[in-house]
Amino acid sequence: MKILGAKVIVCSPGRNFVTLKIETDEGIYGLGDATLNGRELAVVSYLEDHLVPCLIGRDPFQTEDIWHYFYRGAYWRRGPVTMTAIAAIDMALWDIKGKALGVPVYNLLGGKSRNSVLVYAHATGRDIGETVDEVERYRQKGYLAIRAQSGIPGLASTYGVPKDQKYYEPAERGLPSESLWSTEKYLRHVPKLFEALRNTLGDDLHLLHDVHHRLTPIQAARLGKELEPFHLFWMEDPVAAELQDGFRLIRQHTTTPLAVGEVFNSIWDAEQLMREQLIDYLRMSIVHGGGITAMKKAADFAALYHVQTGAHGASDMSPVCMGAALHLDLAINNFGIQEHMLHNAQTEETFPHAYFFRDGSMYPGDEPGLGVDIKEDVAARFPYERAYLPVNRKEDGTLFHW
Ligand code: KDG
Ligand code: MG
């Protein structure tokens, strides 16, 4: 089998998605997600101008060699644009392999290590009362694990809380919006949120929280300690993780489990964090972490250090990535949890898929390959629109982490 060509499909069914479609001489095609939120067209160019020409004529079964060809062969290594482009190719090739062999991709990765994939949903509210109601609503839908975020008194808007949409979608059309941040107000508020959640909902539900990179290690240590009575499943991205040594400080002070890595794009971004057992969950996604080939290795490395996976699955990863994530989640031994943020109706229409949700878990389905398709005629109805993630400033105007 040979690769005949590949095209990049950009669409915006409510938000932007970039999809790579690789076609073969046997009529089988494969899909890969190439979406990098707010920087979509950089990946399009990287694929179209630099990678796709080198794919023509290759054997799509050579996933390992092709991965290294684009990683080592570029000379320039890592970075979100490069790794998202490589990931898209890798996903599409595993999809082709599965289709050609007539098996779901999880069977090529070791088979089923479990029956289902535990997922967590996002509950948000403008205040504690609304968030408690939202968590309850998701619980009634069958979710066993729910991430809780709430508006912070004294701050007009914050990460994770929708302004006017039903579902939270941080990327906005036009130029980046700006929000204001106060660490003091946040730190005063969050323990009250989780106290209210446990008092109202009891102990059974898994509760998660995303700090979104906004604390220093000692502040994160304080928050983790204050949250201990409410035994969170995890506290996510407590600090920006470039300084991996900083996590030692958090670890020394709290037993609240830590999840990190949605902005990582290489195992090298997390190597020290895992080797020193400074984190509990690795959040790298298949689309931003270099594909199935790279993430299988990262997961196997994590397993040596008692680290489990908890892949990023926000709505800015397309259903193609969600499908790929579910195959890997089902196959690896050290799976922890999978994020599951719902896609809107137009996205569901654009990307028909075999995966489904039932009783708090997801299932990749048993179709050959990844089990996700794209309707190109539907995608064409939703052309690309420039959109950015917001930027965040402290109340005195200092630019801060978003
Ligand atoms: O594109 C950025 C979002 O995916 C990110 O902000 C969502 O933090 C996020 C999460 O945990 O899903
Ligand atoms: Mg996050």
Side-chain angles (χ1 to χ4, degrees):
M1 192 186 286
K2 284 203 176 344
I3 295 172
L4 278 186
K7 64 176 167 184
V8 183
I9 304 159
V10 185
C11 63
S12 194
R15 68 158 349 282
N16 292 317
F17 292 113
V18 180
T19 309
L20 179 72
K21 181 172 187 176
I22 298 182
E23 284 160 326
T24 66
D25 59 351
E26 294 188 15
I28 294 173
Y29 63 85
L31 297 180
D33 183 17
T35 310
L36 183 62
N37 207 0
R39 296 293 185 270
E40 293 87 359
L41 300 188
V43 185
V44 175
S45 164
Y46 197 98
L47 280 165
E48 285 180 346
D49 296 331
H50 303 291
L51 303 196
V52 168
C54 307
L55 269 178
I56 316 295
R58 289 182 188 277
D59 176 353
F61 269 64
Q62 309 298 331
T63 43
E64 188 71 21
D65 184 68
I66 291 174
W67 194 92
H68 286 281
Y69 186 87
F70 288 124
Y71 182 79
R72 297 181 193 212
Y75 183 63
W76 313 107
R77 292 181 186 209
R78 302 163 62 178
V81 175
T82 297
M83 298 307 282
T84 300
I86 295 177
I89 291 175
D90 188 72
M91 262 181 263
L93 297 183
W94 280 98
D95 192 23
I96 290 171
K97 234 190 251 207
K99 286 173 177 165
L101 296 171
V103 291
V105 166
Y106 65 75
N107 269 340
L108 302 175
L109 301 173
K112 285 187 185 182
S113 281
R114 60 193 49 76
N115 300 321
S116 60
V117 172
L118 176 70
V119 294
Y120 72 90
H122 281 208
T124 61
R126 282 167 297 184
D127 54 31
I128 290 177
E130 265 189 25
T131 303
V132 172
D133 291 348
E134 273 293 287
V135 171
E136 180 55 24
R137 204 168 65 80
Y138 275 104
R139 179 157 75 163
Q140 281 171 14
K141 285 183 178 177
Y143 284 91
L144 306 169
I146 302 169
R147 189 189 90 158
Q149 309 288 136
S150 111
I152 299 162
L155 295 182
S157 65
T158 192
Y159 167 74
V161 182
K163 287 182 188 149
D164 44 12
Q165 291 142 310
K166 194 166 170 218
Y167 298 115
Y168 180 59
E169 172 46 71
E172 288 172 333
R173 300 207 160 134
L175 295 177
S177 66
E178 298 203 0
S179 49
L180 289 184
W181 174 252
S182 159
T183 297
E184 295 71 29
K185 288 174 184 158
Y186 171 77
L187 283 176
R188 277 200 298 272
H189 183 66
V190 176
K192 294 179 196 156
L193 169 65
F194 283 91
E195 188 178 14
L197 284 165
R198 282 294 178 218
N199 285 343
T200 318
L201 301 161
D203 286 332
D204 286 345
L205 207 56
H206 292 306
L207 293 175
L208 300 83
H209 181 69
D210 191 350
V211 181
H212 223 254
H213 326 266
R214 293 172 180 204
L215 299 177
T216 64
I218 201 67
Q219 291 165 344
R222 167 182 152 192
L223 181 61
K225 215 169 176 176
E226 290 182 14
L227 291 175
E228 278 172 21
F230 316 117
H231 44 91
L232 268 58
F233 188 95
W234 76 35
M235 174 167 77
E236 177 186 341
D237 285 335
V239 301
E242 287 98 332
L243 178 66
Q244 301 194 7
D245 283 330
F247 279 77
R248 239 181 263 128
L249 192 55
I250 310 175
R251 261 312 205 218
Q252 279 161 8
H253 290 283
T254 181
T255 57
T256 295
L258 303 176
V260 178
E262 68 181 37
V263 300
F264 292 173
N265 49 71
S266 156
I267 192 170
W268 295 106
D269 291 327
E271 191 268 342
Q272 183 189 354
L273 292 175
M274 294 194 279
R275 186 171 35 78
E276 294 190 22
Q277 301 182 53
L278 300 176
I279 59 170
D280 300 281
Y281 295 93
L282 181 65
R283 296 265 300 135
M284 224 161 37
S285 67
I286 288 181
V287 58
H288 303 135
I292 294 171
T293 297
M295 284 308 302
K296 173 76 169 70
K297 291 174 187 176
D300 289 343
F301 182 82
L304 300 179
Y305 299 100
H306 303 283
V307 175
Q308 292 178 275
T309 64
H312 188 202
S315 51
D316 48 283
M317 272 138 284
S318 89
V320 180
C321 180
M322 177 54 87
L326 292 171
H327 285 271
L328 186 68
D329 294 339
L330 202 66
I332 55 176
N333 177 266
N334 57 327
F335 165 76
I337 200 165
Q338 169 68 48
E339 183 177 12
H340 171 44
M341 202 172 159
L342 296 168
H343 286 117
N344 67 14
Q346 294 104 305
T347 303
E348 293 285 321
E349 188 192 351
T350 311
F351 296 93
H353 53 77
Y355 67 74
F356 60 95
F357 172 85
R358 192 173 60 215
D359 298 334
S361 291
M362 286 180 81
Y363 302 77
D366 295 318
E367 282 185 13
L370 295 175
V372 184
D373 208 347
I374 185 167
K375 286 189 183 158
E376 292 183 56
D377 54 336
V378 178
R381 294 202 330 250
F382 304 113
Y384 168 78
E385 291 186 50
R386 180 183 290 123
Y388 289 95
L389 290 169
V391 297
N392 194 29
R393 292 184 187 276
K394 292 185 189 174
E395 286 176 310
D396 69 358
T398 309
L399 197 85
F400 197 52
H401 309 286
W402 174 70

